[in-house]
Amino acid sequence: MSRAAEELLEFDRLKEIVSGATTCAPGLRAVRALMPRQDVAPLEAEFILVREAAAYLRGGAELGFGSLADPDVWLARLGVPGAVLSAGELLDAASLMETAGAARQTLRSEDAKHPRLAERAGSLANFCSLLGAIRRAVMPNGEISDDASPQLKRIRAAIIQAREKIQRSLEVILRARGEASGERRGDDYITLRNDRFVIPVRASDRRGIPGVVHGASATGQTVFVEPLEAIDLNNRLVQVSEAEAAEIARVLEELTERIRSEAQALMAAAATIAHLDSIFARGRFARDFDCTMPQFARESRLRLDAAINPVLEATLRPQGRKAVALSLALGDDAGGTVMVISGPNTGGKTVALKTVGLAALCAQSGIPVAAERAEMPVFDHVLADIGDEQSIAADLSTFSAHMLNLKSMIEAATDRSLILVDEMGTGTAPEEGAALAVALLEEFRERRALTLATTHHDRLKAYASTTPGIVNAAMEFDEVNLRPTYRLLVGVPGTSSGIEIARRLGLPSRVVDHAQAALSPESREARDLIAYLHRSRDEMEELKRQTREEQAQLETERRLLQTEWTERQKKRIAALDKSFGETQKRLEAEVARVVEDVKDRTLRAQIEKSAGRRMGKIASEGRAETDAAIVETLAASQADLGVAAEALAKPIDPQSLSAGQKVRVKGFKQPVLFRRSDGRQAEVEAGPLRMKVALADIVEIESDEESGKSAAKAAAARPRVIVHSHASNEAAAEEINVIGCTVEEATQRVDKFLDDAALAGKPSVRIIHGHGTGALRRGLAEFLGSHPLVDRIHAETEDRGGTAITVVELQS
């Protein structure tokens, strides 16, 4: 990527925003080191980690590394032969080990929800043994503990004894001085000079205490004397103190060597923690700026939905303002690879270029894109020419600088490049500038590089409107309030509105009218056309908004009606069921009462058997009538809802259609003429019009007779109810075929068949149900086992059908 492009697009400022969310120095450096790259697989792996980090943070958890001391200094010293870490540096090393352990434990517990983060943390080594040694040897204040080694503990015990012995010796001298003078003076105390215990003595009394003078007070009136009795004791204290220092140095050296042996693991841990801190910083950035993880397209296709410039957003937020989002698409499937953006000054054209360029740099650096959706290829170059490149030192004008930039862009551009050019054709005569801009855009179009260019030239707007592969776009301007809206409108050119703005701002009318008259007829026509396009677009947007509101309102009303309809049907069906149950109970009670009045046992048994058969038949017929009533109720309710009866009808079998037939189609009030079908769609003719409809939408074939038409209309006006008719010859037959029926349908047919067979005096009948899965045979066997007319059942003989047929022997 071009360094110039990164500077122009303010990529470093974006990284500063992201790095502000880091929690440790290594993470800060890791974010600042992020650079665009072209390897897709590592980028996608990085975005998986960032997505998991953002989800972890959105769940209310946090993960920071604020307690980690910067490891770079002491890690660098480990590479110097013979270098020994100080106690403070050992504590810094311990903080790295503790941080690594805490991160490993925290994220490994998230393995189910965030597996990639857990895997990354799992690579951290375990430093428990080394960490324990450091914590035992170095106290939190940086001093070496007595427990650092047994030898150090013995030495420090000896130091304490030596100090106590010296102090006792000096106290004896001080007491003797007090007794000699008869009073204890305020200057009788023990102190240290040059790491040796001494006592203060007035200069006038110096000769009274033989010893070594180690200094005097600022006034010279007091000298600090080491009495002769204390010299050997002080020498002994110095010796053991030197032994202490030597032991401390040995402990530090030993710990340093242990750390040096783990240097590779420690450097890897520091790098992993830096990476994790960088990942979580990017997760916080994604959360705070509502970012998305980009999708990398293999084709040359760029799409951004509701994208914002995060650098601009970060600037506006403290002011209580927000950046305006933009949406655009570039590529062959989006209408073109080049987009020309026009509009007034300060309307947001340059921001639009920077937003797109920054999104590309973010995506290829592993940083989430501030958009609802971001899809783009992996660019080999992001090339930008934005802003005033005038250079006095190089003796270059603005135009010359732009031309040199564009020259280098042409040399580098490929079909995998992103080109961003601001204010094409400026800095020279308008006609020449526009001609150069058209030629440059044509060059980028032929190279199939994705290109965004801003302009004020009408010639470029016309070129974009008439050239395939180039898309016009405009930055919207509110001409009523004279301010930009910063909205990008794709598909229409923009207008500079300079004359109208000048008029609204109070420029004298004669000046404005003169400027207006000076415009060429072509310019006035182009301006009027652009204004018309903008008005048309506004009207379409308003219609879309109204349509969305009406659709939402209709959906709410539909749901309300559906809820009311459901409750109404529940009540109707419950009432029908209740009525049927009450009727059945009354009949059963009446039959039981009549049977009880019969005294003869034989006659009572016959009556009970006959009554059972009749009650079963009545119950079956009653249930069928109830079901039919429920269907009729549902049909009436559908009519209440305004549902077309044809919506309840089943599609016609395509095999039954032939050219010239009159058919009924969903949504058509009158029948239409069927012409032909390709298996999925049918061609129909309605008067002078021919059209194609889905085969599934043909619900009925019209007959030629008027009676047939009436019957078809009646059938279409109510739900389709399938009635299984039983002709008289079937009732008189000795077998019934129920293959293809459900168990419920088969039992209803068999029940009526058995009643008719019993009335006809048949001793036995056959039920043909086939083999199939066996479910129909088992369901019928269960039904027949409790039927009052059935004596016993068995399978037919093998030569007559076997288990595919059940023979039913009726009671005599």
Side-chain angles (χ1 to χ4, degrees):
M1 296 293 171
S2 168
R3 180 64 190 167
E6 293 173 16
E7 292 175 356
L8 291 173
L9 298 173
E10 301 179 279
F11 186 54
D12 285 341
R13 286 189 62 190
L14 173 75
K15 289 195 289 186
E16 286 303 312
I17 294 171
V18 179
S19 64
T22 58
T23 60
C24 65
L28 176 66
R29 288 192 292 271
V31 169
R32 288 177 176 173
L34 291 174
M35 294 296 292
R37 49 185 174 175
Q38 298 179 38
D39 300 328
V40 175
L43 285 170
E44 290 178 339
E46 197 84 344
F47 280 119
I48 291 174
L49 288 170
V50 176
R51 182 182 291 109
E52 289 189 2
Y56 182 89
L57 295 167
R58 288 191 179 103
E62 258 296 349
L63 184 69
F65 307 97
S67 61
L68 175 65
D70 192 347
D72 271 18
V73 176
W74 62 265
L75 280 173
R77 291 196 62 204
L78 286 180
V80 179
V84 177
L85 299 183
S86 67
E89 290 171 331
L90 290 176
L91 289 177
D92 291 347
S95 77
L96 173 61
M97 299 175 198
E98 288 173 336
T99 302
R104 184 179 63 253
Q105 182 177 357
T106 300
L107 291 179
R108 286 181 67 179
S109 64
E110 296 290 325
D111 182 61
K113 294 181 180 177
H114 313 295
R116 295 298 180 88
L117 284 175
E119 180 183 355
R120 190 75 179 94
S123 67
L124 291 165
N126 191 333
F127 303 102
C128 288
S129 176
L130 181 54
L131 176 62
I134 295 173
R135 288 303 184 193
R136 284 193 301 272
V138 186
M139 293 187 291
N141 61 1
E143 294 181 1
I144 303 301
S145 169
D146 293 348
D147 297 325
S149 73
Q151 180 65 14
L152 182 62
K153 194 167 189 176
R154 288 193 294 270
I155 291 172
R156 286 185 170 173
I159 289 174
I160 292 172
Q161 291 175 357
R163 285 176 175 172
E164 290 176 349
K165 195 170 184 180
I166 294 171
Q167 288 177 341
R168 286 197 299 270
S169 175
L170 294 177
E171 285 176 356
V172 169
I173 295 173
L174 291 174
R175 276 199 303 272
R177 287 182 60 198
E179 290 172 357
S181 63
E183 60 179 354
R184 183 70 180 261
R185 298 184 307 192
D187 57 356
D188 288 346
Y189 59 89
I190 301 169
T191 186
L192 281 171
R193 282 292 185 277
N194 301 324
D195 294 329
R196 300 179 74 88
F197 283 95
V198 297
I199 59 175
V201 178
R202 290 179 183 176
S204 58
D205 299 335
R206 162 68 185 83
R207 295 184 181 277
I209 299 180
V212 179
V213 176
H214 286 277
S217 65
T219 62
Q221 296 181 1
T222 302
V223 294
F224 297 96
V225 179
E226 179 184 5
L228 294 177
E229 297 91 331
I231 290 177
D232 289 340
L233 296 174
N234 270 324
N235 289 342
R236 172 60 182 165
L237 179 60
V238 170
Q239 290 175 352
V240 292
S241 296
E242 290 176 349
E244 177 193 29
E247 180 61 16
I248 288 174
R250 189 195 66 78
V251 168
L252 293 177
E253 184 177 0
E254 179 183 326
L255 289 174
T256 299
E257 288 305 315
R258 289 188 63 180
I259 291 175
R260 186 173 279 117
S261 68
E262 298 281 355
Q264 293 300 321
L266 287 167
M267 285 189 285
T272 299
I273 289 172
H275 185 220
L276 286 173
D277 195 35
S278 166
I279 290 293
F280 273 87
R282 285 175 270 174
R284 295 182 188 96
F285 173 74
R287 177 194 61 190
D288 296 342
F289 286 85
D290 295 324
C291 296
T292 186
M293 307 304 144
Q295 302 173 21
F296 294 105
R298 293 185 178 180
E299 304 83 7
S300 184
R301 180 175 68 247
L302 170 67
R303 176 174 178 178
L304 293 174
D305 291 346
I308 63 169
N309 188 312
V311 174
L312 177 62
E313 178 77 3
T315 304
L316 295 177
R317 280 185 179 181
Q319 307 171 23
R321 300 160 61 197
K322 296 186 67 176
V324 178
L326 65 85
S327 299
L328 60 83
L330 271 181
D332 291 333
D333 57 346
T337 58
V338 179
M339 179 176 288
V340 175
I341 304 175
S342 50
N345 288 323
T346 70
K349 298 190 299 296
T350 304
V351 171
L353 294 189
K354 289 186 174 183
T355 299
V356 176
L358 204 53
L361 294 178
C362 284
Q364 290 182 226
S365 302
I367 300 173
V369 177
E372 289 183 2
R373 177 182 175 183
E375 183 180 1
M376 63 189 71
V378 175
F379 297 108
D380 59 356
H381 296 99
V382 174
L383 304 170
D385 181 58
I386 299 174
D388 188 355
E389 295 292 329
Q390 187 179 57
S391 173
I392 297 175
D395 193 24
L396 293 175
S397 67
T398 299
F399 179 74
S400 299
H402 281 307
M403 287 302 104
L404 288 176
N405 281 347
L406 290 168
K407 173 178 174 291
S408 63
M409 291 167 67
I410 290 174
E411 292 171 350
T414 70
D415 60 351
R416 295 177 53 237
S417 299
L418 176 63
I419 310 295
L420 306 170
V421 186
D422 193 24
E423 298 295 350
M424 291 196 75
T426 58
T428 186
E431 284 299 317
E432 289 186 351
L436 277 171
V438 168
L440 286 166
L441 288 181
E442 187 64 23
E443 179 70 18
F444 292 137
R445 184 177 74 92
E446 290 180 357
R447 296 195 182 199
R448 306 187 64 76
L450 297 184
T451 305
L452 280 88
T454 67
T455 188
H456 282 289
H457 289 295
D458 288 341
R459 182 171 175 181
L460 262 68
K461 302 174 192 177
Y463 165 73
S465 299
T466 57
T467 306
I470 301 185
V471 181
N472 253 320
M475 300 307 300
E476 187 180 50
F477 188 80
D478 183 355
E479 295 189 356
V480 175
N481 298 306
L482 295 180
R483 62 186 180 190
T485 66
Y486 305 109
R487 290 177 58 216
L488 179 67
L489 307 177
V490 178
V492 293
T495 177
S496 297
S497 304
I499 293 178
E500 187 61 30
I501 293 173
R503 185 189 302 277
R504 299 286 182 88
L505 292 177
L507 203 67
S509 298
R510 63 182 181 279
V511 175
V512 175
D513 293 340
H514 186 74
Q516 184 85 26
L519 288 174
S520 65
E522 294 82 1
S523 297
R524 286 196 294 271
E525 289 175 3
R527 188 185 62 179
D528 293 342
L529 176 60
I530 291 172
Y532 169 75
L533 290 175
H534 280 261
R535 287 195 302 272
S536 299
R537 184 184 179 93
D538 291 342
E539 290 172 1
M540 289 180 62
E541 291 293 332
E542 179 62 20
L543 285 173
K544 287 180 181 179
R545 185 191 65 78
Q546 293 177 0
T547 301
R548 286 194 296 268
E549 290 179 355
E550 291 174 0
Q551 285 178 338
Q553 184 177 357
L554 288 172
E555 179 63 18
T556 301
E557 293 176 357
R558 187 191 67 80
R559 290 178 180 175
L560 179 62
L561 287 172
Q562 191 175 37
T563 301
E564 294 175 351
W565 175 82
T566 302
E567 293 300 322
R568 188 161 61 247
Q569 301 333 304
K570 285 180 180 178
K571 292 178 181 179
R572 292 183 181 181
I573 292 171
L576 288 170
D577 274 340
K578 181 179 180 182
S579 176
F580 175 77
E582 290 174 351
T583 301
Q584 187 174 0
K585 286 180 181 179
R586 285 198 303 272
L587 288 173
E588 289 175 351
E590 184 65 22
V591 170
R593 185 182 62 77
V594 172
V595 171
E596 285 295 326
D597 291 341
V598 178
K599 304 301 182 182
D600 187 274
R601 282 187 183 178
T602 303
L603 182 58
R604 183 188 299 174
Q606 292 176 351
I607 292 174
E608 284 179 346
K609 186 179 295 185
S610 176
R613 290 198 300 267
R614 300 309 300 168
M615 283 300 298
K617 181 178 179 181
I618 291 170
S620 177
E621 292 175 349
R623 172 54 62 188
E625 292 176 2
T626 301
D627 290 344
I630 289 174
V631 170
E632 291 295 333
T633 300
L634 291 176
S637 301
Q638 292 283 1
D640 290 345
L641 273 179
V643 177
E646 60 192 20
L648 300 173
K650 295 182 180 179
I652 294 298
D653 182 4
Q655 300 298 327
S656 64
L657 294 170
S658 59
Q661 286 180 316
K662 288 281 188 176
V663 296
R664 284 195 171 272
V665 180
K666 286 182 182 179
F668 288 72
K669 294 183 178 180
Q670 301 297 327
V672 296
L673 194 65
F674 175 78
R675 286 296 182 188
R676 62 179 65 85
S677 167
D678 60 3
R680 294 185 303 106
Q681 291 184 313
E683 183 178 309
V684 297
E685 181 177 306
L689 300 177
R690 288 192 180 185
M691 66 200 75
K692 288 188 176 181
V693 298
L695 273 174
D697 289 342
I698 298 179
V699 296
E700 184 181 350
I701 299 174
E702 289 277 318
S703 63
D704 293 334
E705 300 178 0
E706 189 63 29
S707 59
K709 292 181 181 179
S710 301
K713 289 180 181 179
R718 62 177 180 275
R720 184 172 294 183
V721 181
I722 299 175
V723 180
H724 297 285
S725 62
H726 310 286
S728 58
N729 62 340
E730 179 180 288
E734 295 183 352
E735 64 182 27
I736 182 173
N737 189 333
V738 293
I739 294 176
C741 296
T742 64
V743 173
E744 183 178 359
E745 291 172 344
T747 53
Q748 290 180 358
R749 292 187 60 190
V750 168
D751 184 42
K752 189 175 189 310
F753 176 70
L754 292 179
D755 285 342
D756 294 338
L759 291 174
K762 301 287 184 182
S764 64
V765 292
R766 299 185 345 139
I767 303 174
I768 304 172
H769 46 69
H771 291 289
T773 62
L776 183 57
R777 175 175 56 81
R778 290 191 297 272
L780 285 172
E782 183 179 351
F783 168 72
L784 295 170
S786 60
H787 198 284
L789 297 177
V790 176
D791 187 18
R792 69 187 189 92
I793 62 174
H794 58 83
E796 184 61 277
T797 59
E798 289 297 328
D799 60 334
R800 298 191 63 190
T803 56
I805 300 174
T806 296
V807 177
V808 181
E809 296 186 7
L810 301 175
Q811 293 184 0
S812 58

